[in-house]
Amino acid sequence: TCCLQQTKAGIIESAYKPLTIPDNVDFGSFILSHLEQYKDRPLIENGLTGVKYSYSDVISKSLKVASAFKKSGYKPGDVIAVFSTNNPEYLLVYIAAAAAGLTTTTMNSAYSAKELKFHLENSECCAIITTEELVSTVKEAVGTSETVKLKEIIVFGNSHGCRPFSTLVEDDGTALTEVYSGNAKEDVLVLPYSSGTTGLPKGVMLTHHNIVSNLLQLTVLKLDTSDRILGILPFYHIYGMVCILFSIITNGCSIYTLPKFEPEIFLSTLSKNRITCVHLVPPLILFLAKHPLVEDYDLSAIRRIFSGAAPLGKELVLKCKERLGVQEMIQGYGLTETSPVVHVSVPPIRHEGSVGTLIPNTAAKIIDPETNEILGPMQTGELCIKGPQVMKGYLNRPEATADMIRDGWLYSGDLAHYDEDGHFYITDRLKELIKYKGFQVAPAELEALLITHPDIKDCAVIGIPDEKAGELPRAYVVSNDKSTIREEDVLNFTKANVAPYKQLRGGVEFVPEIPKSAAGKILRRILRDSYKNKLND
Ligand code: 4UV
């Protein structure tokens, strides 16, 4: 039923029948109405501890947490942060915050104190919710800052000087007289961070309307109430947040959460709970396709594997299908800035390697990045997107927003083409962003850090291809004249300052100068080509 619909101007419209997306539905009411539909069915279980909540439990407990937020004095528009690995309580926070009209900002749970401090300052949040293990990082981040103005640290569990999350869950619920409903197109529901096409991470303002729209658009995937889902991808990233955590509720499924990837626990959780649908990123699909341990587990309940956040090779798809006997390997494409979904490859899948077709109410165009001219089928150019899932903008960054969204089109920074059937293929990245195992690494952030090293005069960071991780960050360094700085020193410097996933696993190369344009922009293409040539030599 999905064929190419193209207008004369070269704009491709979704081939799905347009959905009626309400204009002013807040996320709280939307999600509560879905929760009420499934009542006593199991919703979410901690895959390690067995602690679990039914749909009804999630309603009553998140409304109590919302009431506790109100009693603490948090007002609509206030921002609260969640700095945590996956657990069921993460979900309670999202729903409670929405019901109280608060914005939830999220960050990578691997962040160093320095990275966390930047995020807390930038998002101006008033409270943070974290885990026992991460409290010390939070205290370090807050302790060194005059500008982080947290009113409290709330902890899942117990920790000295922090408020236990359990006291919020035990609130009497009286302070929440009604679920917040303001202006769904203006009010920011969640504030995840993304570096976008260039520069440092920025707060992505996703409104209630953005998220409600994407959840409605995602119904083309047809999850089922009998589906059991694995929640291993992080809930702080848009993929885990919307495509996994929120979308199981709109579909009545149940989910088992895991805080991190450990081969045996991952496999035994899949097997023991007879998981039917697994949302993964390409490095984890590679694990399923190749790792010897996989043979020891019964994974026969899996009927679908979802992949997103990075390119998925055709050979890997075929290998995984063959080994696990999974028929449906579904790809999704999108960005934090698009809530995130833009394309999905809905079964039956005829085009391996494609990210699929545009989801309902979404349009795209491919433009020549040099001339801005609209291109036709099979021509490669920058993918531009229009739809109700496109973000409101970056927090406090009007120029960055205006650069990303022009004439109502979001410029993705990805190079793509589409075929005569309207299937899209993502082929390369125009923007500077690096993806390590699906995680965003912003070159500008590493460059800004490296340049603070007394022995470094100039530098540039690019991503180099890697079979396992997708890409690895690699630094080009111009050292100060008399310096004896070595690769090891640079590596130790980044180790002390940024999260493990941002480390310069692609190595460090010392160069006499960084290639730059007349305007001073780093010419990353030249560095990438020089790396390629070096490999071929
Ligand atoms: O902002 P972000 O970190 O966002 C994501 C989103 C992941 C999604 C989106 C829709 C889905 O249905 C899903 O399952 C997962 O990762 O990074 C955005 C950039 O990641 C690359 C591309 O460069 C984006 O601009 N990217 C995301 N999905 C794909 C991809 C893909 N399927 N193939 C290739 N690159």
Side-chain angles (χ1 to χ4, degrees), residues 194 237-239 243 307-312 331-337 340-341 343-344 355 412 414 426 429 431 433 435 438 440:
S194 165
H237 183 254
I238 197 73
Y239 183 5
C243 306
S307 179
L312 178 69
Q331 265 211 81
Y333 162 85
L335 302 79
T336 306
E337 290 84 346
V341 189
H343 297 84
V344 284
V355 295
S412 71
D414 289 312
I426 309 297
R429 214 176 286 131
K431 56 189 168 189
L433 176 68
K435 281 244 156 162
Q440 286 202 7

Side-chain angles (χ1 to χ4, degrees), residues 174-216:
T174 51
L176 187 83
T177 45
E178 58 183 354
V179 169
Y180 178 80
S181 66
N183 183 339
K185 285 192 168 166
E186 287 299 322
D187 297 341
V188 180
L189 174 69
V190 287
L191 186 70
Y193 273 59
S194 165
S195 62
T197 44
T198 182
L200 299 180
K202 294 172 271 293
V204 179
M205 297 191 286
L206 298 175
T207 62
H208 288 249
H209 182 70
N210 288 147
I211 300 293
V212 168
S213 299
N214 211 231
L215 287 168
L216 291 172

Side-chain angles (χ1 to χ4, degrees), residues 205-207 210 337-339 385-393 405 408-410:
M205 297 191 286
L206 298 175
T207 62
N210 288 147
E337 290 84 346
T338 57
S339 304
I385 302 149
K386 197 180 256 189
Q389 70 272 53
V390 171
M391 67 168 177
K392 180 177 166 184
I405 305 173
W409 289 94
L410 178 127

Side-chain angles (χ1 to χ4, degrees), residues 46-219:
N46 185 319
L48 292 186
T49 66
V51 169
K52 55 184 163 193
Y53 303 83
S54 68
Y55 276 77
S56 317
D57 291 337
V58 169
I59 299 177
S60 62
K61 292 189 180 359
S62 47
L63 293 180
K64 286 179 173 182
V65 175
S67 164
F69 282 152
K70 293 216 133 188
K71 286 184 192 166
S72 293
Y74 305 136
K75 302 214 161 45
D78 282 351
V79 180
I80 57 160
V82 190
F83 180 51
S84 174
T85 46
N86 287 3
N87 60 30
E89 293 73 25
Y90 210 125
L91 177 62
L92 302 182
V93 178
Y94 275 129
I95 299 173
L102 314 180
T103 299
T104 306
T105 190
T106 58
M107 69 283 279
N108 196 308
S109 57
Y111 267 8
S112 67
K114 193 172 176 158
E115 291 164 306
L116 181 63
K117 181 176 156 226
F118 168 84
H119 192 123
L120 296 178
E121 283 172 350
N122 192 269
S123 60
E124 298 175 34
C125 53
C126 55
I128 187 166
I129 303 174
T130 190
T131 65
E132 292 175 354
E133 295 75 21
L134 297 173
V135 165
S136 58
T137 312
V138 175
K139 287 188 173 161
E140 195 186 332
V142 179
T144 58
S145 175
E146 308 251 299
T147 42
V148 175
K149 295 208 168 65
L150 288 183
K151 289 197 190 123
E152 60 180 337
I153 302 173
I154 299 167
V155 66
F156 296 128
N158 266 300
S159 187
H160 180 71
C162 305
R163 181 174 176 198
F165 184 69
S166 57
T167 65
L168 287 85
V169 180
E170 283 152 15
D171 188 272
D172 64 6
T174 51
L176 187 83
T177 45
E178 58 183 354
V179 169
Y180 178 80
S181 66
N183 183 339
K185 285 192 168 166
E186 287 299 322
D187 297 341
V188 180
L189 174 69
V190 287
L191 186 70
Y193 273 59
S194 165
S195 62
T197 44
T198 182
L200 299 180
K202 294 172 271 293
V204 179
M205 297 191 286
L206 298 175
T207 62
H208 288 249
H209 182 70
N210 288 147
I211 300 293
V212 168
S213 299
N214 211 231
L215 287 168
L216 291 172
Q217 292 170 303
L218 259 180
T219 49

